[in-house]
Amino acid sequence: MRNLRITLAFRGCAYHGTQVQKNALTVTEVFQDALEKVLGVREDIKNCSRLDAGVHANQFDLNIKTQSAIPCDGLLRGLNACLTGDMAVLAVREVPEDFHARYSCLGKEYLYKVHNAPIRDPFGAGLVCEYPFPLDEGTLHRAAQAFVGRHDFAAFCSAGSSVEDTVRTIHSFSVCREGEMVLFTVAGDGFLYNMVRILVGTLLDVAAGKIPVEALPEIIASRDRVRAGKTAPACGLYLNRVFYQLPLEDDAP
């Protein structure tokens, strides 16, 4: 029995998240269909993460255990021939038997894209969050440092989450500008339900003058979702990297 780690990239616009659902098209279903065409059997899939509808991925890892003898490069070519244009397999690798895409993960990095211009980009529809008002990326970067470190992020978790432990460690949080695009990049050991989108939404509320920068530590300490900012739209969010070894920077597809 072989254990294979498969790395995907996908545009999430057409999908209702990653988990298989009865009445909606999902990333896992589409990938599993392609995998079945190549292998001739419907293998069980272990995903690295659960993403919401409309969220994208520059790196999304999963693993399968299979008796197929197809070489990794042949499987990569076969899968890409069966997948639609909004999804691609970046790599297929043999890994130890105990590797699990979710439980072996040491951390993740998310990227959030904000198109910051008075006129929306029609070619970015579904791929970026539109924000027409001025943003000072330097101020936002400094404000984002309030989230770095180990904190209880209960104030930045959407209602409905069943997670009891809301303490997470944010390793880094940067905000930078590339032309009209403002990029929020946050890496940590784990994230709560909608946590990144609420962190970004809170920073956008700081930019709008709705939340004072100095109030961020108090909001974290309050554990009160009402005190944090809005939830930024799913369209701007990308799972950017998934880390499986230390140092984190060395693990890329």
Side-chain angles (χ1 to χ4, degrees), residues 101-162:
R102 178 182 176 188
Y103 298 123
S104 300
C105 176
L106 298 176
K108 300 183 181 76
E109 179 183 270
Y110 283 89
L111 172 66
Y112 195 92
K113 297 183 179 183
V114 174
H115 180 242
N116 183 217
I119 300 174
R120 67 180 179 275
D121 177 9
F123 301 105
L127 300 175
V128 299
C129 170
E130 293 288 349
Y131 192 88
F133 309 107
L135 289 176
D136 183 334
E137 63 277 9
T139 298
L140 291 175
H141 177 78
R142 290 187 291 273
Q145 304 320 298
F147 301 122
V148 176
R150 191 163 182 81
H151 304 288
D152 188 332
F153 284 99
F156 301 88
C157 178
S158 287
S161 173
S162 59

Side-chain angles (χ1 to χ4, degrees), residues 11-55:
R11 184 173 57 190
C13 302
Y15 304 110
H16 201 76
T18 51
Q19 297 300 105
V20 173
Q21 299 180 35
K22 291 183 178 180
N23 301 312
L25 186 68
T26 67
V27 170
T28 298
E29 178 186 352
V30 169
F31 176 78
Q32 211 163 18
D33 287 347
L35 187 64
E36 185 174 11
K37 289 179 181 178
V38 176
L39 299 183
V41 294
R42 198 166 186 84
E43 303 285 15
D44 186 40
I45 292 174
K46 306 300 183 184
N47 289 334
C48 67
S49 183
R50 181 173 183 171
L51 302 183
D52 287 340
V55 176

Side-chain angles (χ1 to χ4, degrees), residues 16 22 48 65 76-77 142 162 167 174 185 197 199 212 219 247-248:
H16 201 76
K22 291 183 178 180
C48 67
K65 293 191 175 181
L76 183 148
R77 290 193 300 272
R142 290 187 291 273
S162 59
V167 175
S174 68
T185 307
R197 291 167 59 190
L199 291 173
I219 293 172
L248 298 182

Side-chain angles (χ1 to χ4, degrees), residues 3 29 34 54 97 109 122 143 184 194 197-198 218 220 243 248:
N3 192 14
E29 178 186 352
E97 183 181 356
E109 179 183 270
F184 298 73
N194 283 342
R197 291 167 59 190
I198 297 171
E218 297 176 9
I220 296 172
F243 304 114
L248 298 182

Side-chain angles (χ1 to χ4, degrees), residues 28-100:
T28 298
E29 178 186 352
V30 169
F31 176 78
Q32 211 163 18
D33 287 347
L35 187 64
E36 185 174 11
K37 289 179 181 178
V38 176
L39 299 183
V41 294
R42 198 166 186 84
E43 303 285 15
D44 186 40
I45 292 174
K46 306 300 183 184
N47 289 334
C48 67
S49 183
R50 181 173 183 171
L51 302 183
D52 287 340
V55 176
H56 320 287
N58 293 323
Q59 179 187 345
F60 184 90
D61 284 276
L62 56 89
N63 73 287
I64 63 168
K65 293 191 175 181
T66 180
Q67 294 182 345
S68 170
I70 299 176
C72 290
D73 57 350
L75 185 56
L76 183 148
R77 290 193 300 272
L79 287 169
N80 280 327
C82 294
L83 290 170
T84 56
D86 57 5
M87 189 183 304
V89 175
L90 304 181
V92 178
R93 286 162 282 194
E94 295 219 29
V95 289
E97 183 181 356
D98 62 352
F99 175 87
H100 190 288

